[in-house]
């Protein structure tokens, strides 16, 4: 079901957390709400679920205005970070709880509960209690419980934060598989950009209660609207250096670097101070604009090496390259930047 | 083995120190089933005459079974009242945003610290006016009211340990606030309710002053008052009878402790482990 937040605001007392946010989630889509801690992701989620009353604006499910409707009637499935399973009930009873509340006939409850258990692969655990499950299994139960009553929308608040790295990888694809199989509209809250990029159809990136950009992961990576977005996506992260526009070129003072203006940006007037963003994969052996510096850090990641390149003015660029033995720490090197892949930002972080 | 050698002096010291206590308890029991010649500690005959109060009612006193029933009613009713009110009030104070919550909590605490005995004259007058003087119901209400502050605080503590998300999950699952409390939260605090119930029962069973003052005679008399009546009776003073009734009075408490001591410890643990 399509979800629309229409000029939605939320404040706690005097603290304005969200102001005039408009956000549309398309039917059947999985949207990531990505942003740093405290930017209002959970607040947005809780407003959709009805746990928080909104202070302004409307929330629509399909065409129905849900703003004043109590949580119980919104039919929203929520997976909490702590899973919030009912500890005194078995897995089967946990999943069946929403159906029993709805007073479905017991045979129907059992059928739907088992169907859902099959979907999330926990058929063998139905008689256990939550305390006897691993984190990943608890997560699956929480998903099954949220999905069993076919909610209008599924909300996931940092569902992977409590899992270890390997399980996180597994559950990432599992959650996506289950979402695709059920075709449910879902919102995933996370502050992990890898999670957002790998699981979701679109990403809404938030900062300080505002949506900065909404786009597909690829589009957002290729075309960030602000320096904040560019800095949030990508691992290892993008590096920024200050430069000045000069005769259609960008010069970095006291580092003897001249970069052409990338085709994706308009040439700024001479003397304009700008910020240049260079992603680590765009600095390396091949490219068109030379950059000289000293290798100040080397980290191997197996297939690739990650280097820090300290420029003459002390600023640091990052580069990621195939592993090779010809560069070692403190070497003076001349690498190249793919200038068509640069991003240009104004001093206040807006894309030029 | 070294450990054994080190600890035996302590064990010895403790044994000597607690010997008087052990002797006291031993004689409490021995004296109820024997007779001893005057000025001797060594019993010379076995007898059940001191327990005769169980099958024959003394003149001028209510039947022991009537009194026991009263004690049982008194303890279970106060305990039930305390459980019902505390489990609800504790939840409200722990979770809902009631106006003046902090003041209420502080007030409840002060009430708990207030010695009940200082109120007894006022309570006596109130009960007389409303016509509950010398009734079991009257004294049950008073006792429950006095135990309640502790119960409310205790239950609030137990509720505070229940994760907030569980309730939110329940609400999202479509349950009403009341159902959430009944089906999801209450089971988490079961150990607390059990411990509190037992605790209130024992307090009620042992209560003396309130029934003595507020329901001293006739049909409302409880065991502790009956027992005190025995020792106050100068005309036919019978120490062994007193001990027998005392033992009889203690028995349910011992049995409860024996079976439920672990659960009772929960009240000090305050966790949701059950
Ligand atoms: N009940 C509340 N009362 C007052 N302020 C609150 C309340 N809940 C949240 N806030 C504030 O609102 C802001 C956004 O909180 P929110 O929980 O939505 O952040 P978040 O994006 O989910 O962060 P995180 O990634 O750390 O979970 C924070 O600054 C927080 O302090
Ligand atoms: Mg949050």
């Amino acid at each position: 079901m399509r979800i629309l937040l229409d000029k939605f605001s939320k404040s706690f007392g005097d603290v304005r957390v969200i102001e005039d946010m408009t956000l549309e989630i398309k039917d059947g889509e999985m949207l990531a709400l990505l942003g740093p801690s405290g930017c209002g992701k959970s607040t947005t989620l809780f407003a959709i679920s009805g746990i928080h009353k909104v202070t302004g604006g409307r929330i629509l499910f399909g065409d129905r205005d849900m703003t004043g409707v109590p949580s119980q009637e919104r039919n929203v499935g929520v997976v909490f970070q702590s899973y919030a399973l009912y500890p005194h009930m078995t897995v089967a009873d946990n999943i069946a709880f929403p159906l029993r509340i709805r007073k479905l006939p017991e045979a129907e409850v059992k059928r739907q509960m088992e169907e859902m258990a099959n979907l999330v692969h926990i058929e063998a655990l139905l008689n256990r209690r939550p305390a006897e499950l691993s984190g990943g299994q608890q997560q699956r139960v929480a998903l099954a419980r949220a999905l069993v009553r076919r909610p209008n929308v599924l909300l996931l608040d940092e569902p992977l934060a409590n899992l270890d790295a390997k399980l996180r990888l597994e559950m990432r694809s599992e959650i996506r598989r289950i979402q695709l199989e059920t075709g449910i509209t879902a919102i995933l809250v996370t502050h992990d950009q890898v999670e957002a990029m790998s699981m979701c159809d679109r990403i809404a990136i938030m900062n300080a209660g505002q949506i900065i950009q909404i786009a597909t992961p690829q589009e957002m990576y290729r075309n960030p609207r602000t320096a904040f977005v560019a800095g949030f996506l990508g691992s290892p992260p993008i590096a920024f250096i200050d430069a000045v526009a000069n005769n259609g070129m960008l010069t970095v003072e006291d580092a003897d670097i001249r970069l052409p203006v990338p085709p994706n940006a308009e040439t700024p007037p001479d003397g304009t101070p700008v910020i240049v963003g260079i992603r680590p994969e765009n600095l390396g052996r091949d490219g068109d604009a030379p950059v000289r510096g000293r290798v100040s850090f080397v980290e191997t990641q197996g297939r690739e090496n990650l280097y820090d390149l300290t420029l003459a003015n002390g600023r640091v660029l990052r580069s990621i390259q195939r592993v090779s033995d010809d560069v070692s720490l403190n070497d003076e090197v001349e690498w190249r930047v793919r200038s068509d892949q640069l991003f240009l930002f104004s001093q206040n972080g807006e894309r030029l | 083995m070294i450990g054994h050698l080190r600890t035996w002096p302590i064990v010895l010291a403790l044994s000597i120190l607690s010997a008087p206590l052990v002797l006291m308890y031993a004689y409490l029991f021995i004296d109820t089933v024997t007779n001893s010649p005057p000025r001797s500690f060594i019993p010379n005959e076995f007898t059940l005459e001191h327990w005769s109060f169980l099958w024959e009612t003394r003149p001028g006193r209510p039947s022991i079974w009537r009194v026991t029933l009263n004690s049982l009613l008194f303890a279970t009713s106060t305990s039930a009242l305390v459980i019902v009110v505390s489990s609800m009030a504790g939840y409200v104070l722990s979770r809902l945003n009631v106006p003046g919550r902090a003041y209420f909590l502080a007030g409840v605490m002060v009430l708990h610290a207030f010695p009940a005995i200082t109120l007894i004259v006022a309570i006596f007058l109130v009960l007389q006016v409303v016509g509950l003087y010398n009734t079991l119901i009257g004294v049950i209400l008073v006792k429950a009211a006095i135990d309640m502050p502790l119960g409310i605080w205790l239950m609030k503590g137990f509720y505070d340990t229940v994760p907030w998300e569980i309730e939110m999950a329940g609400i999202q699952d479509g349950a009403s606030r009341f159902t959430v409390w009944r089906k999801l939260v209450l089971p988490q605090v079961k150990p607390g309710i059990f411990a509190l119930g037992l605790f209130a029962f024992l307090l009620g069973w042992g209560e003396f002053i309130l029934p003595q003052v507020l329901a001293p005679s006739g049909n409302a008399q409880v065991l502790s008052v009956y027992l005190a009546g025995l020792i106050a009776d100068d005309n036919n003073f019978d120490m062994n009878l007193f001990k027998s009734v005392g033992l009889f009075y203690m028995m349910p408490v011992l049995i409860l402790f024996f079976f439920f001591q672990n659960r009772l410890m929960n009240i000090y643990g305050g966790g949701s482990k059950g």
Side-chain angles (χ1 to χ4, degrees):
Chain A
M1 185 173 286
R2 182 194 72 135
I3 310 292
L4 178 67
L5 302 182
D6 181 22
K7 297 214 179 63
F8 142 69
S9 309
K10 174 72 195 171
S11 33
F12 295 101
D14 293 339
V15 190
R16 304 182 137 235
V17 176
I18 310 256
E19 237 172 304
D20 279 349
M21 177 200 279
T22 297
L23 174 65
E24 186 191 6
I25 302 109
K26 295 181 194 145
D27 185 26
E29 149 180 84
M30 184 144 170
L31 179 100
L33 267 186
L34 178 65
S37 188
C39 70
K41 306 182 295 289
S42 299
T43 306
T44 309
L45 217 59
F46 289 149
I48 296 173
S49 73
I51 292 175
H52 287 339
K53 285 200 176 60
V54 305
T55 23
R58 296 187 308 157
I59 296 175
L60 279 83
F61 287 12
D63 291 327
R64 182 160 173 219
D65 188 345
M66 287 284 186
T67 317
V69 176
S71 289
Q72 284 94 338
E73 290 160 37
R74 290 195 190 189
N75 197 16
V76 169
V78 184
V79 175
F80 292 88
Q81 183 177 334
S82 58
Y83 314 137
L85 299 178
Y86 309 135
H88 59 292
M89 296 186 188
T90 62
V91 167
D93 289 339
N94 260 283
I95 302 175
F97 183 79
L99 303 175
R100 297 222 166 100
I101 288 291
R102 242 146 268 222
K103 303 217 161 51
L104 259 61
E106 197 52 32
E108 186 60 17
V109 168
K110 193 159 184 311
R111 193 186 64 73
Q112 294 194 19
M113 183 270 290
E114 280 169 357
E115 185 189 332
M116 199 44 71
N118 288 342
L119 177 73
V120 302
H121 301 326
I122 48 168
E123 310 86 330
L125 309 172
L126 287 178
N127 290 320
R128 297 219 201 147
R129 279 173 201 267
E132 301 159 356
L133 301 179
S134 73
Q137 290 166 338
Q138 291 187 29
Q139 170 93 78
R140 287 170 191 266
V141 178
L143 266 171
R145 190 184 62 188
L147 288 170
V148 74
R149 64 200 133 96
R150 320 210 169 279
N152 292 325
V153 55
L154 176 68
L155 307 179
L156 304 139
D157 193 357
E158 312 217 12
L160 305 175
N162 286 348
L163 300 178
D164 64 46
K166 185 156 169 287
L167 214 57
R168 200 174 296 184
L169 217 66
E170 177 188 326
M171 286 314 292
R172 219 154 74 189
S173 46
E174 273 296 278
I175 292 178
R176 180 61 165 165
R177 171 184 70 81
I178 291 162
Q179 187 264 332
L180 288 174
E181 254 173 64
T182 51
I184 190 168
T185 312
I187 304 178
L188 171 87
V189 158
T190 177
H191 51 232
D192 180 348
Q193 50 102 10
V194 183
E195 246 169 72
M197 302 233 299
S198 60
M199 290 169 73
C200 294
D201 299 305
R202 287 195 306 160
I203 299 176
I205 196 158
M206 279 182 77
N207 192 21
Q210 300 239 303
I211 300 228
I212 312 285
Q213 185 174 5
I214 308 183
T216 62
Q218 279 212 351
E219 167 66 12
M220 193 173 275
Y221 190 77
R222 280 202 206 127
N223 218 350
R225 185 173 293 163
T226 67
F228 174 80
V229 176
F232 218 89
L233 296 190
S235 165
I238 194 169
F240 296 107
I241 49 172
D242 296 318
V244 179
N246 195 347
N247 277 334
M249 296 291 275
L250 308 162
T251 52
V252 180
E253 274 159 33
D254 29 282
D256 187 25
I257 293 175
R258 286 163 57 80
L259 301 167
V261 174
N264 61 31
E266 281 175 35
T267 308
D270 280 3
T272 321
V274 295
I275 297 171
V276 182
I278 305 173
R279 289 204 190 275
E281 63 269 29
N282 295 326
L283 171 63
R285 308 299 167 89
D286 33 47
D288 50 318
V291 169
R292 256 183 306 281
R294 184 177 57 83
V295 176
S296 55
F297 174 80
V298 185
E299 179 188 289
T300 183
Q301 300 187 334
R303 191 161 12 101
E304 284 148 341
N305 274 358
L306 176 64
Y307 302 98
D308 276 5
L309 188 69
T310 302
L311 307 179
N313 64 355
R315 300 302 293 261
V316 177
L317 296 181
R318 275 180 283 267
S319 165
I320 192 158
Q321 302 175 14
R322 302 272 302 269
V323 166
S324 62
D325 296 333
D326 59 343
V327 181
S328 49
L329 201 60
N330 290 324
D331 282 358
E332 292 287 340
V333 294
E334 184 181 293
W335 282 340
R336 283 156 199 286
V337 171
R338 272 196 232 127
S339 64
D340 56 336
Q341 302 289 329
L342 297 180
F343 299 123
L344 226 55
F345 303 98
S346 70
Q347 292 270 235
N348 58 21
E350 292 295 320
R351 183 83 178 277
L352 292 174
Chain B
M1 285 318 281
I2 304 283
H4 263 80
L5 290 179
R6 288 245 178 85
T7 50
W8 75 261
I10 301 173
V11 171
L12 188 69
L14 281 179
S15 308
I16 292 171
L17 280 176
S18 50
L21 273 176
V22 173
L23 274 178
M24 261 164 57
Y25 282 116
Y27 268 93
L28 176 63
F29 175 71
I30 291 169
D31 281 354
T32 64
V33 290
T34 58
N35 277 327
S36 311
R39 277 188 297 280
S40 164
F41 291 119
I42 317 295
N44 61 356
E45 63 167 345
F46 174 80
T47 173
L48 286 179
E49 68 181 82
H50 309 306
W51 289 93
S52 66
F53 68 92
L54 289 179
W55 51 87
E56 50 195 43
T57 304
R58 305 259 156 155
R61 297 197 184 285
S63 143
I64 184 77
W65 296 111
R66 173 75 216 213
V67 176
T68 310
L69 182 70
N70 280 347
S71 263
L72 211 59
L73 272 177
F74 177 64
T76 38
S77 310
T78 46
S79 157
L81 260 178
V82 168
I83 287 180
V84 170
V85 175
S86 305
S87 63
M88 293 187 176
Y91 178 75
V92 169
L93 288 174
S94 166
R95 287 302 151 89
L96 307 185
N97 226 340
V98 215
R101 203 183 76 144
Y103 296 105
F104 190 84
L105 274 173
V108 167
M109 197 45 142
V110 169
L111 275 184
H112 174 53
F114 221 81
I117 196 73
T118 55
L119 302 172
I120 203 132
V121 175
I123 294 175
F124 176 83
L125 291 176
V126 170
L127 284 193
Q128 280 224 308
V129 169
V130 297
L132 290 174
Y133 175 68
N134 226 346
T135 62
L136 212 46
I137 295 189
V139 74
I140 285 171
L141 288 177
V142 172
K143 177 66 178 157
I146 286 172
D147 284 354
M148 233 164 248
L150 174 70
I152 291 173
W153 262 92
L154 213 79
M155 288 316 298
K156 179 189 174 292
F158 273 93
Y159 282 122
D160 285 346
T161 66
V162 178
W164 169 90
E165 283 94 346
I166 286 187
E167 282 177 68
M168 286 310 141
I171 300 250
Q172 296 305 332
D173 283 346
S176 69
R177 198 79 209 216
F178 183 78
T179 311
V180 165
W181 174 73
R182 236 325 262 105
K183 293 252 173 81
L184 302 180
V185 181
L186 212 50
Q188 320 292 323
V189 298
K190 238 176 20 200
I193 288 186
F194 192 89
L196 176 62
L198 204 56
F199 209 65
F201 180 88
L202 293 176
L203 282 177
W205 187 260
E207 180 63 44
F208 167 62
I209 289 290
L210 291 176
Q212 167 77 1
V213 177
L214 304 175
S217 60
N219 290 339
Q221 203 173 74
V222 295
L223 261 172
S224 56
V225 177
Y226 179 91
L227 192 61
L230 286 182
I231 209 165
D233 190 350
D234 292 333
N235 296 330
N236 31 29
F237 184 74
D238 184 344
M239 203 56 185
N240 286 5
L241 171 67
F242 182 73
K243 286 181 185 169
S244 307
V245 176
L247 203 58
F248 177 75
Y249 181 36
M250 259 170 57
M251 227 100 81
V253 178
L254 289 180
I255 293 170
L256 280 181
F257 258 112
F258 183 76
F259 281 109
F260 297 123
Q261 46 183 333
N262 290 340
R263 306 265 199 130
L264 211 53
M265 293 305 167
N266 243 321
I267 220 163
Y268 303 108
S272 51
K273 294 172 286 184

